[in-house]
Amino acid sequence: MKLFTRLLAATALTLALGGAASAKTFVFCSEGSPEGFDPGLYTAGTTFDASAHPVYNRLTEFKKGTTEVEPGLAESWDVAPDGLTYTFKLRPGVKFHSNDTFTPTRDMNADDVIFSFDRQGNKDNPWHQYVSGASWEYYDSMSMPETVKSVEKVDDMTVKFTLTRADAAFLANVAMPFASIVSKEYADKLAEAGQQAQFNQQPIGTGPFRFVAYQPDALIRYQAFPEYWAGKQPIDDLVFAITTDAAVRQQRLLAGECHLMAYPNPSDVPAMQQNADLKVDEQQGLNIGYFAYNTKQAPFDKVEVRKALNMAINKQAIIDAVYQGAGQIAKNPIPPTMWSYNDSIQDDPYDPEAAKKMLTDAGVSNLSMKIWAMPVSRPYNPNARRMAELIQADFAKVGVNAEIVTYEWAEYLERSKAEDRDGAVLLGWTGDNGDPDNFLAVLLGCDGVGNNNRAQWCNEDFDKLVQQAKSLPSQEQRAELYEQAQVIFKEQAPWATIAHSVVYVPMRKNVTGFVQSPLGDYTFDGVDITE
């Protein structure tokens, strides 16, 4: 297959850095640029696809195509009967990558595991604020600082986690991207040289691919790691061709300039399904697209105002225009494919006249606000700009003047976390571990305010339920509490729940070994290209 001009330039760049022309190059047309390459600092799938999955591993991993936990860098573990102690036996002989400035002198061991977690939870760790404004938002949003009492080295190949309370999702949590294991030796070398920022720009991990180079907003280049503990990958070079426009991604896929693309326009999927040169995987997404009001800012601090705005949104029109048959209206903050989904809940009706009356009764008139629209396609929202325009028109019908704003993706994610943010933000979530806690606690819990909780919503009754649910041993007991929490969410309306989508992954016919993830990940270990 041919490579387009940028990829030819990337090949020249790799050769200039000392690489050799690869025998087999796989090109992924990705949808956006990563915020950085240290997965502990971020929550976006775009960033995890470019960092956590190719470069790093975790103690536990998700079995391909499932949310089932299997051994990763820990080859086994023991859990105490009270659920408060997890002892991980590490896999021996795991090698770290090297780069032009760093060559590891030892294999992965307990020191790396302890460092990987301590830097996130310990404010006294010198790496806790190694880059300006560092925020361990996933670690914090999941209440890990309160849950993890200590991480101790038993011996070089054994690590013990002691918890303050039982956490039914703990093994799944440490399989998530934020829990990737990084090299303490590399961190020490950078600190000694005063180059800590390189940790987020030139990543060193144990994963299937070694980072080579990044050209912002254009491409990322990786090489298969020959000493990878699970064996060298079938492909030699992996290239992320960053292409923010879905139509252009499609054109490049059809032209053979990439082998697989992320997030097609739903309207383009039928033609791709009929194309003899392509194949298209699909599955119901474990996701939610939502519209989060800033509940700390007037008048969105009033539940009546939030409910009124929800009733002003014609969600069926959004499904028709934006998802084009590849989505369904959402009424809950978790998808219907997830256990504990409360199907008895009634959605807010589309009723502009009732919305106008409710705003008037709440003392709100001539409301002006901002609608934040994402600049990239995501599985839960293929076209945020179009969705924002539809909501803007709906709000105008009830006397609300809305201005649409957007920013570059990394800036959008950072700015939208602010507790004084104006208006409401379009965003969404794809589950990272298959557990309801990953939606309800991470996105709506009190610990997430100022981070993943874009609604800045802290409801004590809701929070008590989701925190209690973590500690219960049976799924049935946990589900009962999560169902109650969804009732409170719907009554309080910190979001307008918009849609759950079907996720499509188009690729060239000669791609083998790619397994679509229910967690929305794009991972390329085991992927090959046939002649």
Side-chain angles (χ1 to χ4, degrees):
M1 286 188 177
K2 64 179 181 176
L3 296 177
F4 54 93
T5 304
R6 283 180 177 172
L7 298 181
L8 292 175
T11 302
L13 175 60
T14 303
L15 292 172
L17 291 170
S22 65
K24 193 176 288 187
T25 297
F26 187 95
V27 182
F28 169 48
C29 275
S30 65
E31 78 286 2
S33 298
E35 301 149 278
F37 290 92
D38 181 352
L41 294 172
Y42 307 108
T43 64
T46 303
T47 298
F48 291 157
D49 288 341
S51 60
H53 301 310
V55 178
Y56 295 100
N57 295 115
R58 290 138 294 279
L59 292 173
T60 58
E61 301 278 359
F62 293 112
K63 186 176 180 181
K64 274 190 173 292
T66 77
T67 57
E68 178 186 341
V69 172
E70 65 179 6
L73 294 182
E75 60 181 5
S76 63
W77 51 84
D78 293 312
V79 184
D82 62 4
L84 296 179
T85 304
Y86 289 73
T87 305
F88 293 92
K89 198 70 179 176
L90 303 182
R91 188 179 299 277
V94 174
K95 310 294 182 187
F96 278 104
H97 308 157
S98 61
N99 61 23
D100 290 345
T101 63
F102 173 74
T103 301
T105 64
R106 61 168 177 80
D107 295 344
M108 182 274 301
N109 66 26
D111 293 333
D112 302 304
V113 176
I114 293 170
F115 172 70
S116 298
F117 286 89
D118 189 69
R119 72 195 184 112
Q120 300 189 55
N122 178 8
K123 293 181 180 179
D124 295 326
N125 188 306
W127 281 85
H128 189 72
Q129 282 288 318
Y130 80 93
V131 292
S132 177
S135 172
W136 308 98
E137 55 183 298
Y138 224 137
Y139 194 89
D140 292 342
S141 297
M142 296 182 67
S143 305
M144 295 288 276
E146 293 77 35
T147 301
V148 178
K149 181 179 180 181
S150 63
V151 187
E152 301 171 89
K153 178 179 179 177
V154 177
D155 57 46
D156 279 351
M157 300 306 292
T158 311
V159 178
K160 182 173 74 173
F161 286 73
T162 302
L163 310 185
T164 60
R165 59 193 178 194
D167 186 344
F170 186 74
L171 287 174
N173 290 347
V174 297
M176 291 164 56
F178 81 93
S180 296
I181 303 304
V182 300
S183 168
K184 183 179 186 300
E185 185 182 16
Y186 182 47
D188 289 344
K189 180 176 175 62
L190 290 176
E192 183 180 350
Q195 298 177 333
Q196 290 93 328
Q198 291 298 312
F199 202 82
N200 194 31
Q201 299 166 10
Q202 300 284 333
I204 292 288
T206 61
F209 296 97
R210 180 181 73 85
F211 174 85
V212 175
Y214 173 42
Q215 182 180 338
D217 301 323
L219 59 92
I220 316 168
R221 197 167 187 90
Y222 311 85
Q223 289 179 342
F225 182 39
E227 296 180 279
Y228 181 49
W229 57 269
K232 181 192 172 295
Q233 298 306 302
I235 56 177
D236 299 291
D237 267 9
L238 172 65
V239 175
F240 279 37
I242 299 166
T243 313
T244 57
D245 188 293
V248 178
R249 290 197 296 276
Q250 180 193 13
Q251 291 167 9
R252 289 177 172 172
L253 181 70
L254 293 174
E257 295 171 354
C258 58
H259 298 93
L260 185 146
M261 67 169 283
Y263 314 127
N265 286 321
S267 59
D268 294 331
V269 169
M272 287 191 279
Q273 290 171 325
Q274 297 299 316
N275 190 309
D277 294 325
L278 305 180
K279 55 186 175 181
V280 182
D281 288 354
E282 68 176 270
Q283 64 181 217
Q284 288 289 335
L286 196 71
N287 62 37
I288 172 72
Y290 62 81
F291 187 53
Y293 306 106
N294 188 343
T295 62
K296 285 194 171 186
Q297 299 294 314
F300 310 108
D301 55 342
K302 293 183 178 182
V303 65
E304 298 87 354
V305 173
R306 303 194 297 265
K307 295 287 266 186
L309 293 175
N310 282 1
M311 288 194 296
I313 298 173
N314 186 344
K315 292 199 278 190
Q316 187 58 56
I318 290 174
I319 295 294
D320 294 341
V322 177
Y323 294 87
Q324 301 188 36
Q328 64 184 97
I329 289 175
K331 64 180 181 179
N332 289 328
I334 64 174
T337 52
M338 175 167 276
W339 61 271
S340 83
Y341 180 82
N342 190 340
D343 198 32
S344 66
I345 284 175
Q346 297 298 308
D347 199 13
D348 298 308
Y350 171 54
D351 192 338
E353 291 305 314
K356 280 194 284 190
K357 182 178 186 304
M358 189 175 286
L359 287 172
T360 300
D361 291 346
V364 174
S365 60
N366 300 317
L367 174 61
S368 294
M369 63 178 291
K370 288 184 170 65
I371 296 174
W372 291 50
M374 298 180 300
V376 296
S377 302
R378 301 299 298 144
Y380 48 75
N381 189 338
N383 190 336
R385 180 74 192 193
R386 180 64 179 135
M387 186 183 293
E389 291 168 350
L390 292 168
I391 294 173
Q392 181 186 48
D394 287 338
F395 283 179
K397 294 173 186 175
V398 300
V400 174
N401 179 40
E403 174 192 0
I404 299 172
V405 298
T406 192
Y407 301 92
E408 183 272 329
W409 185 219
E411 185 179 2
Y412 184 93
L413 291 170
E414 185 62 30
R415 283 176 174 257
S416 64
K417 292 188 295 186
E419 294 184 43
D420 61 353
R421 184 201 74 234
D422 183 22
V425 59
L426 284 171
L427 209 57
W429 193 257
T430 298
D432 284 317
N433 66 5
D435 195 282
D437 177 76
N438 185 241
F439 286 78
L440 300 177
V442 172
L443 302 180
L444 294 159
C446 293
D447 287 338
V449 171
N451 281 316
N452 280 320
N453 187 338
R454 290 326 201 272
Q456 317 302 346
W457 181 67
C458 177
N459 180 285
E460 291 184 4
D461 293 333
F462 177 93
D463 207 59
K464 183 178 179 181
L465 287 168
V466 297
Q467 294 299 331
Q468 184 183 351
K470 288 184 182 184
S471 64
L472 297 177
S474 79
Q475 189 175 104
E476 183 180 2
Q477 291 173 302
R478 297 180 69 206
E480 184 177 344
L481 297 187
Y482 289 138
E483 288 172 15
Q484 294 175 34
Q486 289 167 71
V487 172
I488 294 173
F489 166 87
K490 204 64 184 179
E491 291 172 347
Q492 293 298 310
W495 301 346
T497 49
I498 303 295
H500 310 291
S501 74
V502 177
V503 180
Y504 297 99
V505 183
M507 66 195 81
R508 301 292 300 183
K509 204 81 168 182
N510 63 342
V511 173
T512 63
F514 180 83
V515 179
Q516 190 173 7
S517 168
L519 305 174
D521 305 327
Y522 285 87
T523 59
F524 299 101
D525 52 310
V527 172
D528 200 358
I529 313 163
T530 61
E531 293 300 328

